[in-house]
């Protein structure tokens, strides 16, 4: 067959000469080779440096480059695997829902744009000795978007699906010695209409590429089903297999336990397509909590009993099913504490490494994430093996998204939706479903097949569900898109929605629904987000609420020359700019502050404390708590004054109250319980904190008289513009014109850069910007910038000096602010700020005072809620304690600078320089909120990226009565939940004391 360029725009041509999809098993000729996996002896890697030519269009490509006499002198170099656009060729482009040619060319499916870059790859290889004389295959694990292959000048094949293997037999085209492999990769094809995922648009050979040989008799495909009895104790195996090559005499199956000892075996005559049934008996079941795996060996044997081929498979015995409208694993209702995960590396894009995957899965286990949706394409095969071994539930998602074909400007408009019910697209999407299922079907971690993402509905997607159900009766099928068209509800086995607010989910759960509920995407973690996550996890009390998958795992930002770039930074147009930064880990895999809330709320063990003990509830389904220690601590201002360690063995869903006899305690204290690993695991070391709980109590205060020394030579100095207070080693100046304290000196060091001002504004978060925060709340920004001091009073008394400032706020705000400073003779300043409340105003973003200190005051210690930044709607995972940081570390690494670094429940906050000189802000009656940062809210707001921030010359300290929550239901319109907003019509009072640190 001769290759044709017209295949690129023909949706009915998506694979030419590609072999049938099959299971991703390893195979060996010798038993001692088992476990070599990616280094399997019958495999030969073609990764490495290739010769490469980039053309910006189809017309400009070197059309004859595949010919053996082609002069490649003009070619450059490129690394395989890797994206073309991240290696100096072309331009990365990020778009979300719209197609990347929108506004450049008017196209309708299956037309492809003229802007269609082509990468031409060349390399030579010689076949490894142990592969010679066997049938040889060429395996591409992932290529975007469409590619043609030639070997030694001969056309081999064509394929389009970017995220599953494309394999071709090349036996008859190999030659002795050096072979020349040529691959032409086209960035755009009709497949581009089916791959409109919310991600960077890359192209190239971005996953492994290798040759493999098969023995004379070979297991092409195997499908192992684990069958459990009604009691979920005894099991059997159903093994379907397909053979090729010479017919062996027999096939021998043996099941091995974790000690590599054979439990049971069976041998029978081999068939081209056969089945083996084995009654196993009692087994240890697989779950994310306890990922027990067995090893199944399938051996092809000759008539004399000699080994021809051995295939090892890791098998997890488990049963996933729908029981009475509830999704159940091994008979028990499951709750998915999940996350959506793009494959991503800050420098390599979707070309991720084994090390990346190991980091990811260990992080997920440490942060109590039990499930992943492979958004929105099948992942590298290694990821599934890791999920089997570490224990992660998977929704395996077909590489299908046609978002831009049915949703325009946020509205459903499916007039030219694909695939819909169009017959010309049916086989292409079915092929994608088949390729995923056939590769991944033996992985215990895969519980649910997904038909894809955001592709509306229609008969073509319904056919995918029909295929999944027919081919695999051991899993369920997921699809969210039929929410947009209820005529196709039968596509999905569960009700799945995106970004439904908690109230809407609860309404569904109370309607006596037939299907269980699953949020395939919720809690849009863009920038400083995650507020209100607890409102979702609280829905677990409803039996048919079965959890959800946070959007998403990792920021998709690219590092170029040490700078982080997102959509638009490459002058890529059209673009959706920074909408790809939604992770609970940053792109470089540092952990975002948002992750702490996830870890706490996703924990399977809940701990509640009372004044005389603590209650532990083990919400695990399958494991007890014998491998954990429970450490009970009483703390006061960060000091542990009592500790006791407990061991307890709670069965699944068992709870127990433990009474603790405490010593006499005075004042405020916190009772804490930490649940720790008592032994090392493959994902964390002994001592790792799995779960925790805290309660705060106040007992009768012990009457103590704090010793204070009256400052010597204390005096008030009246000036024309300023009022001063001075004493030995202390002075303060209050400006009449500036409306606040302009100098505060302790021990000869100045602590004030500018007069403190009332503040109402925060640098808008990504969620704020998405809901057009500025339009609604702009009056509070101008109030922060332009509040005017309209009255000033002072009064000296025997106890000290009181200074009163009255601030009028710009129109249309009719409210006012009063800030009172009382300087006592001990060198302390009591500050009281009162917001009066006003009518017909937008809610307040926050209220408090901004202090600007010299830059040398960069370290801070606080006694409040920490350790990570927290907000009134994201404080579940925070604990009261004593924490230290500095202003630079406190600046969270959100791509677009925004509000960050806040802490709630602060009892006191100290800011110091390197010499330990500084100020102490101490709450009077109610704890305050606050932050310490190198920049003001306005400086943060004005910067597009971190590198756009000015040189830091100050330390900005915010002391706040309250700040509204950050929200997080979505990032394009949802408001912060009502309980976490600040009404502008009520009086707010903030009171604190400033002392020498």
């Amino acid at each position: 067959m001769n290759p044709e360029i017209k295949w690129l725009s023909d949706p009915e041509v998506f694979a030419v000469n590609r072999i049938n999809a099959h299971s991703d098993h390893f195979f060996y000729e010798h038993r001692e080779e088992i476990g070599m996996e990616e280094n399997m002896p019958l495999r030969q890697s073609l990764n490495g440096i290739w010769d490469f030519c980039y053309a910006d269009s189809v017309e400009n490509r070197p059309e004859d480059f595949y010919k053996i006499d082609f002069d490649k002198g003009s070619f450059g170099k490129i690394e395989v695997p890797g994206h073309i656009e991240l290696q100096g060729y072309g331009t990365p482009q990020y778009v979300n829902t719209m197609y990347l040619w929108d506004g450049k060319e008017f196209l309708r499916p299956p037309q492809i744009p003229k802007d269609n870059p082509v990468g031409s790859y060349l390399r030579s290889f010689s076949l490894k000795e142990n592969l010679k004389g066997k049938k040889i295959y060429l395996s591409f694990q992932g290529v975007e978007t469409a590619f043609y292959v030639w070997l030694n000048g001969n056309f081999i094949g064509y394929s389009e699906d970017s995220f599953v293997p494309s394999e071709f037999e090349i036996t008859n085209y190999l030659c002795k010695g050096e072979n020349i492999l040529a691959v032409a990769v086209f960035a755009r094809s009709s497949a581009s209409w089916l791959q409109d995922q919310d991600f960077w648009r890359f192209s190239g050979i971005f996953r492994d590429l290798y040759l493999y040989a098969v023995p004379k008799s070979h297991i092409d495909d195997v499908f192992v089903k684990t069958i459990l009895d009604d009691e979920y104790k005894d099991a059997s195996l159903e093994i379907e297999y397909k053979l090729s090559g010479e017919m062996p005499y027999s096939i021998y199956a043996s099941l091995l336990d974790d000690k590599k000892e054979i439990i049971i075996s069976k041998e029978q005559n081999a068939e081209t397509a056969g089945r083996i049934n084995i009654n196993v008996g009692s087994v240890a079941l697989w779950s994310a909590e306890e990922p027990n795996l067995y090893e199944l060996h399938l051996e092809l044997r000759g008539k004399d009993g000699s080994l021809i081929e051995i295939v090892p498979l890791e098998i997890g015995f488990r049963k996933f099913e729908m029981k009475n409208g509830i999704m159940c694993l091994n008979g028990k209702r499951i709750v998915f504490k999940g996350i959506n995960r793009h494959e991503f590396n800050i420098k390599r894009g979707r070309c991720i490494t084994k090390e990346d995957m190991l980091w990811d899965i260990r992080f997920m286990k440490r942060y109590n994430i039990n499930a992943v949706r492979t958004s929105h394409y099948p992942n590298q095969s290694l990821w599934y093996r890791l999920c089997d071994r570490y224990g992660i539930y998977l929704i395996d998602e077909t590489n299908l998204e046609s978002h831009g074909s049915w949703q325009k400007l946020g509205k459903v408009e499916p007039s030219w939706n694909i695939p819909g019910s169009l017959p010309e697209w049916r086989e292409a999407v079915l092929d994608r479903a088949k390729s995923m299922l056939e590769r991944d079907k033996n992985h215990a971690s895969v519980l649910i097949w997904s038909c894809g993402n955001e592709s509306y509905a229609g008969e073509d997607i319904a056919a995918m569900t029909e295929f999944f159900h027919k081919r695999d009766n051991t899993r369920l099928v997921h699809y969210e898109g039929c929410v947009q068209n209820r005529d196709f509800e039968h596509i999905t086995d569960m009700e799945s929605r995106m970004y439904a607010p908690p109230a809407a989910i609860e309404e569904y759960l109370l309607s006596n629904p037939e299907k269980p509920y699953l949020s395939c995407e919720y809690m849009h973690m863009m920038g400083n987000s995650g507020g209100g996550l607890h409102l979702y996890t609280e829905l677990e009390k409803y039996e048919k609420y079965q959890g959800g998958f946070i959007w998403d795992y990792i920021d998709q930002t690219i590092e170029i020359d040490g700078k982080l770039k997102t959509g638009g930074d490459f002058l890529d147009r059209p673009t959706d700019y920074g909408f790809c930064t939604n992770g609970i880990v940053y792109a470089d895999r540092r952990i975002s502050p948002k992750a702490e809330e996830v870890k706490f709320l996703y924990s399977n063990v809940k701990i509640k404390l009372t004044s005389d003990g603590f209650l532990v509830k083990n919400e695990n389904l399958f494991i007890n708590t014998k491998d954990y220690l429970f450490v009970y601590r009483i703390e006061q201002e960060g000091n542990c004054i009592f500790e006791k360690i407990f061991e307890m063995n709670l069965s699944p869903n068992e709870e127990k109250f433990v009474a603790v006899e405490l010593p006499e305690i005075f004042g405020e204290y916190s009772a804490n319980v930490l649940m720790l690993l008592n032994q090392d695991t493959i994902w964390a070391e002994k001592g790792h904190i799995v779960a925790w709980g805290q309660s705060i109590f106040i007992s009768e205060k012990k009457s103590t008289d704090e010793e204070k020394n009256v400052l010597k030579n204390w005096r008030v100095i009246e000036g024309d513009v300023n009022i001063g207070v001075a004493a030995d080693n202390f002075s303060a100046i209050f400006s009449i014109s500036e409306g606040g304290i302009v100098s505060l000196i302790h021990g000869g060091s100045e602590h004030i850069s500018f007069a403190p001002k009332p503040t109402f504004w925060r640098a808008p978060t990504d969620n704020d910007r998405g809901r057009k925060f500025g339009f609604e709340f702009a009056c509070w920004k101008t109030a922060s910038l332009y509040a005017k001091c309209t009255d000033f009073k002072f009064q000296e008394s025997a106890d000290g000096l009181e200074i009163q400032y009255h601030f009028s706020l710009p129109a249309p705000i009719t409210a006012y602010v009063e800030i009172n400073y009382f300087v006592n003779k001990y060198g302390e300043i009591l500050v009281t700020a009162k917001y009066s409340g006003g009518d017909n105003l937008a809610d307040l973003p926050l209220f408090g005072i901004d202090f600007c200190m010299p830059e040398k005051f960069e370290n801070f210690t606080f006694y409040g809620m920490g350790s990570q930044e927290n907000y009134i709607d994201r404080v579940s995972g925070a604990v009261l304690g004593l924490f230290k940081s500095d202003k630079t570390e406190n600046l969270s690494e959100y791509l677009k600078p925004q509000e960050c670094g806040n802490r709630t429940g602060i009892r006191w906050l100290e800011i110091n320089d390197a010499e330990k000189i500084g100020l102490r802000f101490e709450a009077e009656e109610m704890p305050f909120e606050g932050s310490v940062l190198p920049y003001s809210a306005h400086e943060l707001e004005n910067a597009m990226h971190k590198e756009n921030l000015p040189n830091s010359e100050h330390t900005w300290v915010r002391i706040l009565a309250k700040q509204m929550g950050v929200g997080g239901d979505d990032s394009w319109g949802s408001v912060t939940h009502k309980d976490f907003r600040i009404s502008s019509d009520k009086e707010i009072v903030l009171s604190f004391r400033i002392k020498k640190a």
Side-chain angles (χ1 to χ4, degrees), residues 47 168 193 207 223 250 260 423 465 506 526 591 693-694 810:
N47 294 346
F168 309 90
W193 292 99
R207 289 183 182 168
F223 190 1
S250 67
K260 305 300 182 183
T465 292
E506 188 168 37
M526 187 173 178
I591 301 169
Q694 182 186 76

Side-chain angles (χ1 to χ4, degrees), residues 371-423:
V372 168
R373 177 172 172 238
T374 67
S375 55
H376 301 290
Y377 43 82
N379 289 179
Q380 286 190 43
S381 194
L382 174 60
W383 178 248
Y384 300 80
R385 296 199 299 279
L386 293 176
C387 290
D388 293 341
R389 295 167 186 172
Y390 281 77
I392 291 286
Y393 304 125
L394 291 176
I395 293 183
D396 202 6
E397 191 143 270
T398 308
N399 176 24
L400 173 63
E401 179 167 344
S402 61
H403 205 156
S405 75
W406 63 271
Q407 188 177 65
K408 291 89 176 178
L409 297 175
K411 295 181 180 179
V412 176
E413 197 286 286
S415 59
W416 54 273
N417 167 242
I418 60 166
S421 299
L422 300 171

Side-chain angles (χ1 to χ4, degrees), residues 499-552:
Y499 308 108
I505 299 172
E506 188 168 37
E507 182 181 4
Y508 172 83
L509 295 167
L510 292 171
S511 68
N512 193 28
E514 291 184 10
K515 295 179 180 180
Y517 180 89
L518 188 71
S519 286
C520 64
E521 294 179 22
Y522 80 114
M523 286 310 301
H524 200 265
M525 290 284 188
M526 187 173 178
N528 191 350
S529 186
L533 176 60
H534 65 283
L535 301 176
Y536 292 90
T537 57
E538 287 167 3
L539 295 172
E540 292 173 17
K541 64 186 179 183
Y542 295 104
E543 196 173 28
K544 286 198 173 182
Y545 180 79
Q546 300 207 249
F549 296 77
I550 289 168
W551 188 267
D552 61 5

Side-chain angles (χ1 to χ4, degrees), residues 5 7-10 58 101 105 107-116 188-193:
I5 202 72
W7 294 345
L8 292 171
S9 57
D10 187 345
V58 174
W101 47 79
E105 297 182 58
L107 301 174
R108 288 293 181 261
Q111 296 171 328
I112 59 175
K114 293 177 182 178
D115 177 16
N116 191 4
R188 320 282 179 243
S189 73
S190 60
S192 301
W193 292 99

Side-chain angles (χ1 to χ4, degrees), residues 190-209:
S190 60
S192 301
W193 292 99
L194 302 176
Q195 296 180 186
D196 190 34
Q197 287 97 330
D198 175 13
F199 62 11
W200 285 95
R201 309 309 162 101
F202 298 128
S203 63
I205 305 171
F206 71 99
R207 289 183 182 168
D208 289 340
L209 170 58

